[in-house]
Amino acid sequence: MARININELPENILLELFTHVPARQLLLHCRPVCSLWRDLIDLMTLWKRKCLHDGFITQDWDQPVADWKIFYFLRSLQRNLLRNPCAEEDMMSWRIDSNGGDHWKVESLPGPHGTDFPDPKVKKYFVTSFDMCLKSQLVDLKAEGYWEELMDTVRPDIVVKDWFAARADCGCTYHLRVQLASADYIVLASFEPPPVTIKQWSDATWKEVSHTFSDYPPGVRHILFQHGGHDTQFWAGWYGPRVTNSSIVISHKPARNPAPAPPPPERLQQGMEGSSSRFPPRFLRPWR
């Protein structure tokens, strides 16, 4: 039997074969082989097929997609970029920026004078004390697989969420700060809503806060997430806001408009004295 060159196969067969090749191997090793493979691998049809094959979309998908290749990579990378968001590993992966009062603590839901979390899979939460307690994580986007051209050209949406609650028997104040920063920790965009104070004898229900960064300036390389608070009665123990199920997710939705002209940049400053030298200078100012 005469040998057949793989390039003699019909294009639809080659596309089906490429559908089963890992995406990075396609781009790094298959695409440079020849012009035919290059042209086939650049077809949006292939990347839509790969999205179907990997379960990122279904056959009845009807939403417009500008670039199926970018869509595929964003969906393959999509996950919560915050580690240990629900306190299952105690305080691991969190940097303690302020540890006032009786310090941070992990408790099990619903907790004293608390309520169940909306998602039954969440079993624990972090709780603050009578003086300011703050903790944070620094996300390195390049280390997480988000390359520079993707963040600067596509600028996918960055969706930040956090959940907080008070004890029913004590008032508290909750704080949240999220910053998008450059490679050298210049702040390019930020979300810092006003502190939320919950009065004593509340219903202790869990509340979600959410923000989407869209059309942010190019150059984002880090995301800095910080939250916490303190109680308002100054009671010994752990009566401040409870937090859990925090998340940072890079969405597959592409940016739609050109980036606005950024304001003069501000360099991140140290959040508090004595912080670990493993982290760069960070937040603009400490909360009081």
Side-chain angles (χ1 to χ4, degrees), residues 80-83 85 93-95 97 104 126 134-139 159-163 174-180 191 209 213 222-228 243-249 279 282-283 287:
N80 186 0
L81 298 178
L82 292 178
R83 293 176 169 80
S93 301
W94 291 95
R95 177 196 184 193
D97 299 315
W104 280 97
F126 306 94
L134 296 170
K135 63 183 178 69
S136 61
Q137 286 192 38
L138 171 68
V139 177
V159 182
V160 179
K161 295 182 180 180
D162 198 21
W163 287 83
Y174 160 82
H175 294 262
L176 173 67
R177 177 186 294 158
V178 185
Q179 296 174 332
L180 308 186
F191 173 63
V209 56
F213 290 96
H222 301 95
I223 305 174
L224 304 112
F225 179 99
Q226 185 187 54
H227 64 176
V243 293
T244 194
N245 204 37
S246 313
S247 64
I248 298 174
V249 176
F279 286 78
R282 318 266 315 258
F283 300 103
W287 279 301

Side-chain angles (χ1 to χ4, degrees), residues 26-243:
L26 276 179
L27 296 180
L28 293 175
H29 301 297
C30 298
R31 191 177 183 275
V33 167
C34 63
S35 60
L36 173 62
W37 287 25
R38 179 199 63 205
D39 293 343
L40 290 176
I41 291 170
D42 285 346
L43 286 175
M44 291 298 103
T45 303
L46 170 63
W47 295 96
K48 185 174 182 179
R49 283 192 184 191
K50 289 184 69 64
C51 288
L52 280 165
H53 177 266
D54 289 7
F56 297 153
I57 63 171
T58 58
Q59 288 285 355
D60 58 354
W61 179 274
D62 60 358
Q63 299 180 28
V65 174
D67 188 318
W68 282 101
K69 185 191 298 183
I70 294 298
F71 180 94
Y72 178 88
F73 276 101
L74 286 174
R75 287 301 305 269
S76 65
L77 289 168
Q78 188 169 308
R79 64 198 185 281
N80 186 0
L81 298 178
L82 292 178
R83 293 176 169 80
N84 188 28
C86 301
E88 292 296 337
E89 299 174 291
D90 200 63
M91 300 302 298
M92 187 177 295
S93 301
W94 291 95
R95 177 196 184 193
I96 304 302
D97 299 315
S98 297
N99 213 14
D102 287 320
H103 314 310
W104 280 97
K105 185 184 179 184
V106 170
E107 294 180 344
S108 296
L109 283 154
H113 296 271
T115 59
D116 290 324
F117 193 77
D119 183 350
K121 294 192 295 291
V122 178
K123 304 295 185 183
K124 296 182 178 182
Y125 59 84
F126 306 94
V127 59
T128 60
S129 190
F130 59 84
D131 203 357
M132 181 63 84
C133 293
L134 296 170
K135 63 183 178 69
S136 61
Q137 286 192 38
L138 171 68
V139 177
D140 183 332
L141 292 173
K142 187 174 182 179
E144 297 293 344
Y146 295 90
W147 60 98
E148 295 178 356
E149 183 182 1
L150 177 70
M151 297 306 300
D152 292 349
T153 305
V154 178
R155 289 176 294 131
D157 289 348
I158 301 173
V159 182
V160 179
K161 295 182 180 180
D162 198 21
W163 287 83
F164 67 97
R167 288 176 57 123
D169 60 343
C170 187
C172 68
T173 300
Y174 160 82
H175 294 262
L176 173 67
R177 177 186 294 158
V178 185
Q179 296 174 332
L180 308 186
S182 65
D184 54 354
Y185 307 101
I186 301 297
V187 177
L188 302 176
S190 63
F191 173 63
E192 187 176 342
V196 177
T197 297
I198 302 174
K199 294 182 179 180
Q200 189 180 23
W201 306 120
S202 70
D203 58 10
T205 56
W206 285 90
K207 300 172 177 61
E208 182 185 39
V209 56
S210 176
H211 178 75
T212 299
F213 290 96
S214 298
D215 303 332
Y216 42 83
V220 172
R221 301 293 179 264
H222 301 95
I223 305 174
L224 304 112
F225 179 99
Q226 185 187 54
H227 64 176
H230 56 85
D231 77 43
T232 56
Q233 315 315 112
F234 207 72
W235 288 350
W238 297 274
Y239 291 82
R242 301 161 171 186
V243 293

